Amino acid sequence: MAGLTKKIIILNSVDSTNNYAMGLVKKGEAADGQAVFAMEQTIGRGRQGRHWISEPGANLQISYIISMEWASMRDQFFLSMAVSLSVAELIMHCSKSEVFVKWPNDVIINDKKAAGILIENVIHGSLWQWAVIGIGLNVNQKKFGNIKATSLAIETQKEFDVFEVARQLQTILHQNIRDMKKGLNSKLMKSYNQMLYKRNQKVKLKVGNRVFETVVIGVTEDGRLKTQDVFEQEWDLDTASIRY
Ligand code: BTN
């Protein structure tokens, strides 16, 4: 198995690092493991068609390209878990803060969002060829207006070198991908459920236009959220969201 490259392309400004990384994949120019980092994104994209807005130069806006031909399409949520756990691990290394993963993959410190993840896949028939793993991690930004967000700098009162943070995250992510290749998925799932935001606690869950109270129990292998109130229920990805 060829190693994962540590190459990082650094851009001053780009529409979206995910778009740039996907362009490399489509042109056949992508190397397994490589990253695309941007100081500024003009159209940063979030999950479910949302925008990702970030202070230029202050934060991590990065996409890692991973060849996935070795994996089964059924394992897509394992990759999502591996990525959120990698970001959580990095944050714990930098800040000693208590970190949680809010289903499906927001990374949370002190009830505020520190990082968001957007994974886009290239699939041919039943073959999962590539994953472009976009990560927005708030590093040195101090003000977020009325958005419930935080950063490493707010949590630690320190400034970080964003390039160093990008390299550290690449190392951690590559290690977790190697663990996935070794079939350590049950370890991943255990760690994910241990870090799950509000696990065994009452939350407000939004499903369509309805918001109701329920208790978060855990997440299934294919990424469904398990909750318990009058009924035990499972929620498909993107059909429900936990309110802060
Ligand atoms: C979310 O929380 O909705 C996901 C946000 C993902 C943002 C990152 S920043 C780097 C990469 N490029 C993008 O356009 N989006 C992701």
Side-chain angles (χ1 to χ4, degrees):
M1 180 193 303
L4 292 156
T5 179
K6 294 208 158 173
K7 183 174 170 189
I8 302 184
I9 296 175
I10 295 173
L11 304 169
N12 257 329
S13 181
V14 70
D15 54 352
S16 149
T17 55
N18 266 34
N19 293 354
Y20 190 98
M22 199 52 95
L24 293 177
V25 170
K26 297 273 161 75
K27 285 185 278 182
E29 291 172 10
D32 189 12
Q34 94 174 77
V36 178
F37 173 103
M39 299 299 279
E40 177 191 47
Q41 292 187 123
T42 52
I43 322 173
R45 293 186 292 111
R47 291 180 59 252
Q48 300 184 289
R50 287 188 290 259
H51 292 293
W52 182 259
I53 297 163
S54 179
E55 191 179 295
N59 301 321
L60 208 65
Q61 300 172 97
I62 196 160
S63 301
Y64 297 97
I65 303 172
I66 303 292
S67 163
M68 296 304 302
E69 294 197 354
W70 50 273
S72 152
M73 296 256 288
R74 284 193 304 274
D75 288 347
Q76 284 190 39
F77 194 68
F78 283 107
L79 180 66
S80 174
M81 290 195 262
V83 176
S84 26
L85 289 172
S86 300
V87 177
E89 210 177 299
L90 171 86
I91 294 175
M92 288 186 288
H93 174 74
C94 295
S95 78
K96 319 259 179 297
S97 304
E98 201 174 4
V99 187
F100 295 96
V101 180
K102 182 169 170 281
W103 180 75
N105 56 15
D106 285 350
V107 186
I108 305 291
I109 314 174
N110 280 329
D111 290 314
K112 294 185 200 103
K113 181 158 166 170
I117 294 164
L118 174 68
I119 303 178
E120 295 177 302
N121 297 302
V122 176
I123 292 164
H124 264 212
S126 60
L127 185 65
W128 184 8
Q129 292 188 314
W130 295 93
V132 168
I133 300 167
I135 300 173
L137 167 64
N138 299 326
V139 179
N140 291 318
Q141 186 168 339
K142 295 253 176 61
K143 294 206 170 86
F144 292 93
N146 51 13
I147 298 169
K148 245 190 149 199
T150 189
S151 66
L152 289 178
I154 292 174
E155 299 301 326
T156 61
Q157 312 300 319
K158 286 189 220 153
E159 282 262 312
F160 293 83
D161 174 341
V162 282
F163 299 111
E164 186 50 34
V165 174
R167 275 188 288 272
Q168 285 176 0
L169 181 55
Q170 190 175 38
T171 303
I172 297 170
L173 179 68
H174 286 183
Q175 189 50 52
N176 281 327
I177 302 278
R178 282 188 213 103
D179 280 357
M180 246 186 104
K181 283 188 185 171
K182 284 187 211 146
L184 300 178
N185 285 356
S186 51
K187 179 181 148 202
L188 266 178
M189 194 157 149
K190 195 168 163 214
S191 308
Y192 180 93
N193 274 312
Q194 276 166 353
M195 297 197 96
L196 189 61
Y197 181 65
K198 300 278 187 199
R199 187 171 187 216
N200 296 328
Q201 293 177 49
K202 215 181 250 181
V203 295
K204 286 199 167 70
L205 195 73
K206 185 165 190 280
V207 178
N209 292 326
R210 200 162 63 97
V211 178
F212 58 94
E213 282 199 340
T214 187
V215 174
V216 170
I217 305 295
V219 168
T220 64
E221 292 199 344
D222 48 4
R224 274 172 295 148
L225 180 75
K226 289 194 278 186
T227 58
Q228 171 84 64
D229 39 79
V230 184
F231 309 106
E232 191 175 316
Q233 293 187 79
E234 293 185 357
W235 304 96
D236 283 336
L237 282 172
D238 298 334
T239 60
S241 61
I242 297 165
R243 307 273 91 183
Y244 283 102

